[in-house]
Amino acid sequence: MQVEVVEGKFRNGAHGYSFSPNGLDLKVGDYCIVDTEKGRDIVRIIKPIRMTNEEELIEPLKNVVKIASPEELKIAEKNYKKAEGMYNEVKALVREENLEMKVVTVECNYNFSRLTINFTAENRVDFRELVKKLADKYKVRIELRQIGPRDATRLIGGLGVCGKVCCCKEGFGINDHVSIKMAKNQNLSLNPNNISGLCGKLLCCLAYENPYYEEVLKVMPKINSVVGTADGDGVVIYNDLLKKTVSVKFSNENESEIKEFSIDDIKVREKMKDGKKSNWKN
């Protein structure tokens, strides 16, 4: 069965969520009040209404209640700033309880009926007394949410080694699996300082760029392999994966020379099933 869905993103959210447009004419960029399991909140529409199979939905759709009015957006922004301003107070209460946890951000929903404290911790934390104190102080529903270093960096933000805003803050690489093999594919130094992000984990961009490198590696010759060129046979000493060029070393009794060729201008030997090498191929 086909159903209508629209995708919206919460403030500080990592990715979009699907909702039922509920008969409303919604456009990308609209701010809407939606139902959630934790109460109502505001999302920004990031993808237009589309039809999808009901079987493909992970869980039943919640409804878009209405398009938020300018007054509701104004109140929401005021509440968001109010919650952010509680950061130091919450940290002080954590210190009073001697809890081994680091408060990352303090957030609320649009009408300030729920306060969410995002934190990191090395071990399990018993924060029951802290929740009681927070509830008594602020008179709202309290939710403490333990997050990992990647999510902490996404919420706080910052500049990566490339000089640009962290990929996770921009919404890239959030759900990607990142492995050390991806760094090897890209000929990067395996020094942790060079391939780690602000979170201390492997750079998200390794996963974002890896499909390109996997495809290029399929056509590039192996290092130390012999290839054929217009100048004769030589040994591969370096592959430039971005330029798709190969550095080839030619040697004779008295001297050696290194030349660079496009991958289209060299020939490699294709292996036969018995492991022996066949004739050159382009």
Side-chain angles (χ1 to χ4, degrees):
M1 179 179 174
Q2 293 272 301
V3 294
E4 279 191 331
V5 298
V6 68
E7 193 166 326
K9 188 176 181 181
F10 293 97
R11 185 176 187 265
N12 295 331
H15 47 73
Y17 292 86
S18 294
F19 297 91
S20 166
N22 201 22
L24 298 171
D25 182 19
L26 304 174
K27 299 178 178 61
V28 173
D30 285 345
Y31 286 87
C32 304
I33 296 176
V34 298
D35 282 325
T36 75
E37 293 181 353
K38 300 176 181 179
R40 289 184 173 178
D41 211 339
I42 288 180
V43 299
R44 180 174 62 85
I45 302 302
I46 59 173
K47 289 185 180 180
I49 296 173
R50 69 181 192 281
M51 300 299 294
T52 189
N53 292 322
E54 191 173 13
E55 299 78 27
E56 296 178 1
L57 299 174
I58 299 175
E59 55 187 26
L61 289 176
K62 298 292 185 181
N63 286 330
V64 173
V65 178
K66 56 178 286 191
I67 296 176
S69 68
E71 183 63 24
E72 286 169 325
L73 292 176
K74 184 177 179 181
I75 292 172
E77 192 59 34
K78 182 179 178 181
N79 286 332
Y80 296 149
K81 291 180 179 178
K82 178 182 176 181
E84 291 169 356
M86 294 175 175
Y87 178 78
N88 288 331
E89 295 178 3
V90 173
K91 282 185 67 177
L93 286 172
V94 169
R95 284 195 297 269
E96 286 180 13
E97 293 295 314
N98 293 317
L99 297 175
E100 295 295 325
M101 56 186 280
K102 179 182 178 181
V103 178
V104 178
T105 59
V106 180
E107 305 172 348
C108 69
N109 61 335
Y110 85 105
N111 60 6
F112 210 86
S113 62
R114 183 183 74 254
L115 196 65
T116 302
I117 292 96
N118 296 300
F119 71 94
T120 59
E122 293 293 331
N123 302 301
R124 184 180 178 86
V125 180
D126 183 356
F127 45 68
R128 287 173 293 184
E129 287 301 318
L130 175 64
V131 171
K132 291 178 183 178
K133 286 188 176 182
L134 290 169
D136 289 341
K137 184 176 180 65
Y138 299 123
K139 309 300 181 186
V140 296
R141 177 183 172 184
I142 302 297
E143 178 184 353
L144 271 84
R145 187 161 66 103
Q146 185 170 354
I147 60 177
R150 284 192 188 277
D151 282 326
T153 300
R154 178 182 61 78
L155 290 172
I156 297 171
L159 298 179
V161 293
C162 60
K164 294 186 177 182
V165 176
C166 293
C167 290
C168 55
K169 187 68 175 177
E170 296 292 291
F172 304 116
I174 297 167
N175 298 317
D176 292 330
H177 170 69
V178 189
S179 70
I180 198 70
K181 182 182 177 183
M182 296 175 180
K184 293 178 180 178
N185 285 346
Q186 298 175 37
N187 283 336
L188 297 177
S189 164
L190 300 185
N191 184 328
N193 293 327
N194 297 336
I195 57 175
S196 299
L198 298 182
C199 60
K201 303 292 185 180
L202 289 171
L203 290 163
C204 293
C205 57
L206 293 177
Y208 180 71
E209 298 170 349
N210 193 59
Y212 167 82
Y213 287 96
E214 285 186 328
E215 288 303 310
V216 173
L217 284 170
K218 292 177 182 178
V219 298
M220 302 300 282
K222 301 291 184 182
I223 300 298
N224 293 324
S225 64
V226 177
V227 295
T229 74
D231 296 334
D233 294 352
V235 178
V236 176
I237 61 170
Y238 179 73
N239 288 323
D240 189 319
L241 302 181
L242 289 176
K243 292 167 61 178
K244 294 184 180 179
T245 59
V246 181
S247 296
V248 181
K249 182 178 181 180
F250 302 92
S251 302
N252 55 39
E253 294 181 358
N254 300 318
E255 60 184 3
S256 63
E257 182 181 11
I258 297 174
K259 293 184 179 181
E260 187 178 89
F261 298 88
S262 166
I263 184 62
D264 296 325
D265 296 330
I266 67 171
K267 297 178 180 180
V268 297
R269 288 190 185 276
E270 185 177 18
K271 284 188 177 181
M272 305 291 285
K273 290 183 179 180
D274 59 4
K276 295 181 180 179
K277 292 180 178 179
S278 70
N279 296 327
W280 296 112
K281 73 166 186 175
N282 291 325

